[in-house]
Amino acid sequence: MIVILKENHTPQQFDSLCGWLKAQKLDIQVNRGYRQTVLGLLGDTTQLDADLLRALEIVEDVKRVSEPYKKANRKFHPANTVITVGDAEIGGGEPVLIAGPCSVESREQILAIARLVKDAGAKLLRGGAFKPRTSPYDFQGMRAEGIELLLEAKKDTGLPIVTEIMDISQLPLFADVDVIQVGARNMQNFELLKELGRGDKPILLKRGLSSTVKELLMSAEYIMAGGNSKVILCERGIRTFETATRNTLDISVVPVLHELSHLPVIVDPSHATGVYRYVKPLAVAAIAAGADGLIIEVHNDPEHALCDGPQSLKPGAFAEVAELVRKITPFAVR
Amino acid sequence: MIVILKENHTPQQFDSLCGWLKAQKLDIQVNRGYRQTVLGLLGDTTQLDADLLRALEIVEDVKRVSEPYKKANRKFHPANTVITVGDAEIGGGEPVLIAGPCSVESREQILAIARLVKDAGAKLLRGGAFKPRTSPYDFQGMRAEGIELLLEAKKDTGLPIVTEIMDISQLPLFADVDVIQVGARNMQNFELLKELGRGDKPILLKRGLSSTVKELLMSAEYIMAGGNSKVILCERGIRTFETATRNTLDISVVPVLHELSHLPVIVDPSHATGVYRYVKPLAVAAIAAGADGLIIEVHNDPEHALCDGPQSLKPGAFAEVAELVRKITPFAVR
Amino acid sequence: MIVILKENHTPQQFDSLCGWLKAQKLDIQVNRGYRQTVLGLLGDTTQLDADLLRALEIVEDVKRVSEPYKKANRKFHPANTVITVGDAEIGGGEPVLIAGPCSVESREQILAIARLVKDAGAKLLRGGAFKPRTSPYDFQGMRAEGIELLLEAKKDTGLPIVTEIMDISQLPLFADVDVIQVGARNMQNFELLKELGRGDKPILLKRGLSSTVKELLMSAEYIMAGGNSKVILCERGIRTFETATRNTLDISVVPVLHELSHLPVIVDPSHATGVYRYVKPLAVAAIAAGADGLIIEVHNDPEHALCDGPQSLKPGAFAEVAELVRKITPFAVR
Amino acid sequence: MIVILKENHTPQQFDSLCGWLKAQKLDIQVNRGYRQTVLGLLGDTTQLDADLLRALEIVEDVKRVSEPYKKANRKFHPANTVITVGDAEIGGGEPVLIAGPCSVESREQILAIARLVKDAGAKLLRGGAFKPRTSPYDFQGMRAEGIELLLEAKKDTGLPIVTEIMDISQLPLFADVDVIQVGARNMQNFELLKELGRGDKPILLKRGLSSTVKELLMSAEYIMAGGNSKVILCERGIRTFETATRNTLDISVVPVLHELSHLPVIVDPSHATGVYRYVKPLAVAAIAAGADGLIIEVHNDPEHALCDGPQSLKPGAFAEVAELVRKITPFAVR
């Protein structure tokens, strides 16, 4: 960490700062220029609060040289993390397909889709029971009943299930869920992250709409700091000025996250674009860029879906995507 | 609501759509052009899910003419909502100052600041007990103990208190809190909003970092739909490409929100900029633009604050801001 | 085009508006709801200024149903445009590789790189002679001399050349240049676009850092309206809040632009990320998503490049990208 | 400037880098940590290309401690720059109002508006002769004839005129123009900036839609590096995800620019919001925050304006704004 001091500081301020830093068990290297003094801090600065330093009268700016995340950091854990769920090894080299409807809507619907996506090659079934909707007047999901239906589909097909949690109080309902999804709007719901960190279920952590790569990794760190190291990172589009797609799929984060972290990275082309016609090109693009998997919305009857229909593929289209992913995998960049 | 149909639809699709819309008790006006057919829907479309319509094969696009929020909408409630808390009438014409430290850090600290900001003209005391921090290794707030200390400061000074809730499970601790703050990261924590909608405490709802004005109003609607109409909207900066300030204070939303909604609108210049030197100019700018109040961070010893020091004013500087706000109020645009 | 009228308009205002619209040779379909009146305009509204309509007291809002671009629009020109330059057919099904240094720096450099990228499979040579630099103190390019050197490299290798124009006054120097590049910062330099529209050289039009898809197509329309239909669209990253990469490569625009327009679409992964390590994954991702080509920075000695070194590939790395592009092409989504 | 080296560099690489840096007349302070080596560079690094350094294999990152702009920098020029045009002293303490129509449309129009805005207190007349329009089919301005009409209005009223240049080739027409405006889309048209730097006319430089504060100052530096120090900075809204206003007025840049630079800063609330109803609150907010002036669109007949009508004030409304600005000036923060 580098601390840039203001030009006109007093020796007292300087001594006081250095004394405090040494008390934090840091070594200090002083760099006096003709206009500015710069301190280089050596030692473990992960737990040092840069904001606190910036608050000091004597400090002009603070720049981190190393990242404030540790458990999620590839520097301290060079090998890829592989998370095994059912037959799938997420992060294990073979891209994993997660598929299913936006919302669980009925027993018939979820069973039918589960069988179809399994046949097409999906290794996990997704489906929303608790739905975060912008409007209180929109369909809020089948909730507890939706989870029951997902478990029935799991029993029927053998596919492990992924579904979203929206509040700590719902956790007891997730006892038999295989992967718990934290949605984009909850990526910085820190109380929820801490609670999930106390468990040992794999967590699918979606990037927030305006969250940086660093913030995504810090949220993973919240879960990992509690002891749960099974975190799957998911890019699902960020909010930008462009409105041609619902959000902007930031595909660059696939190689960026693989460089910074050992955690698996999957991509959600359905929510990123909001348009089913763009799902296929972006799905194969993500795999080509090295993604460890995809999470894709599939519906047997998108014309009557209760939510997010425009972005859902019909099963036949999903099977085509799955086939293309298999063909492109040998040429993916990793 | 306007529904634009695709060029090549069949009469069957058309009849099926119109039948369904009529079942929703909507009147339909058909507008046939030489390339496109457009339906105008008349009636209450608030609870109609535009996404569902867009999913239909026959539909090219759907455009809302009226807004999907109702209780927060000025069209249906022309008079300003005034929320009375202690001596303060938020939305009542006189700008209300809310001030206090970022975090409650000790009994001495919060009592000292409470007295100082009261003397300077603040009508409410703010202070963080539960702190949302990006890093799990940063100070997380004094939590329950912090709320105890705030209540002590309230008793001592008579100032009502505003403090942030981060999870539904913390609600019992907020029984004696006067205004519950929902932070930017929780603006779309819908389960929390619903729970707060069941109570009757005033809610200070901060705009999310990448939330649109419409989404902010929809989140207010979540609270109001549950029966709690005491919502105070708060602009605290949005995330943009600019890094000269921590976030970009979107001051335009003051007149925009006043036009669209009857709810009071306050501004937080401290979090928006992250730099104490910019708090004063932006505070008076917000009042000039018609804001109903300000929430400002004040610290008696910013050099030793445990978080967010760089954006906190010393009490003397806060008193100057308060004085300037009083002078500028007669010329504010409302 | 749909015109939504304000609730309280007078019959005089209404008649005056309808009279004016009819004078524009438009048919009007009136849609009276119980709260709002909506006009549907039928006919050619491409040249109608929506801003002008919005200015009228009687009008609440105007929504376009059809796009304001015509010559660039796939609706009016369903077949792909193929632009032939040398051996390359841009938009012809086979992805075209354009490669070369950020800046032309010397005769030796440009000749060496030209040969290397040709051997690796590039069909066009790129190189900057006029360089748009943020700082007036940074290297501004070799200018006229740089173009001379590019032409020499063209003569030596047979590769057609692509280079950027920054001002109309430079146009005479571009007489023998094969493809003229308009940089991101000039995407809305309308005088330049008009001038280029009067010529017949292929134009490589880069998307502005904060330009929407629609604005990019409108800028193509500026060139095409003048008679020059040889426009190659180029995605090179947009400006967002994320700083992990220099800009955010908006890969979704590949299928979006192919849907909206018949013009070829290429991708620049070098400028988008600013980091050479991310060029390969994003290059193959772009091809997988259906891009008609790539423009990639290659340097024989990036350690001593005068600008943009961090994003340049060494020739060996470029050859690997070219090889991978060939392998992935059969599986690209188009 | 701080240079962070990669962990595994060779002594040869290190010596080669230090040798090169010393050749640039810089002093080097070496800071060896247990994981990282950091170099502090002392001396004039303004003209050092950070990109070039980042390109080196040995370098992990480069961080500037001081800003790369010099002539625009308040550090090297502590006193405010005051630019005198006619009666107005821009930057002189009294806010200056610049007003007029979006476009010059006719002799009658410009003369009428010029007289009205003069009466209301404007010190300069604005009006567009060359108009940058997104669509080639929209009105492009009266061009040379428009400038003639502006000069006539100047003669009639004595008001100096401000009008936008779009290309170097138009410069001869600007011989009698008092202030030349560079629009947002041309903020990084570096050839134009250089040409304007060779003259001595005041330049009103508008911030680009996605330009940072630093980039705005670097563009000012382009003009100033050529010898012309009369630059007026103008904030006119940036592009963000929010669509409630056309752009997002970044009011924070008023104090930020005043801190970083000695140049005057004015605000354009008309283009920022695109809605006339929001012009008044944002105009007074900008003055309260310390702006040195405002540029406001005024039309005598906005219902028939050929462009940008929705954001133009009628003369009466402008007079109200001018009156309020006078009242609020004594309380502005500077």
Side-chain angles (χ1 to χ4, degrees), chain B residues 2 4 7 29-36 38 40 42-43 60 63-65 75-76 239-241, chain C residues 2 4 7 29-36 38 40 42-43 60 63-65 75-76 239-241:
Chain B
I2 287 164
I4 301 158
E7 281 187 48
Q29 298 211 349
V30 182
N31 220 357
R32 284 196 194 273
Y34 78 109
R35 290 184 70 92
Q36 235 146 354
V38 175
L42 309 175
E60 178 152 326
K63 291 171 194 276
R64 278 196 183 275
V65 173
K75 278 191 192 162
F76 306 116
R239 186 161 271 184
T240 69
F241 62 85
Chain C
I2 287 164
I4 300 159
E7 281 186 47
Q29 298 211 348
V30 182
N31 220 357
R32 283 197 195 274
Y34 79 109
R35 291 184 70 93
Q36 236 145 353
V38 175
L42 309 175
E60 177 152 329
K63 291 169 194 277
R64 276 196 185 276
V65 173
K75 278 191 191 162
F76 307 115
R239 186 161 272 183
T240 69
F241 63 84

Side-chain angles (χ1 to χ4, degrees), chain A residues 307-320:
Chain A
C307 75
D308 274 347
Q311 73 202 24
S312 290
L313 295 184
K314 291 193 186 177
F318 173 68
E320 279 177 40

Side-chain angles (χ1 to χ4, degrees), chain C residues 54-120:
Chain C
R54 267 192 213 96
L56 301 175
E57 190 73 34
I58 183 178
V59 173
E60 177 152 329
D61 202 2
V62 175
K63 291 169 194 277
R64 276 196 185 276
V65 173
S66 54
E67 307 81 7
Y69 46 92
K70 220 172 194 174
K71 291 175 189 286
N73 197 330
R74 193 181 278 278
K75 278 191 191 162
F76 307 115
H77 186 306
N80 287 338
T81 284
V82 179
I83 297 173
T84 304
V85 188
D87 281 354
E89 300 205 324
I90 305 172
E94 197 69 28
V96 172
L97 298 184
I98 306 173
C102 172
S103 293
V104 180
E105 291 167 19
S106 72
R107 198 170 170 283
E108 294 66 37
Q109 174 237 28
I110 192 67
L111 283 175
I113 298 180
R115 290 166 194 161
L116 287 163
V117 300
K118 188 186 181 188
D119 288 350

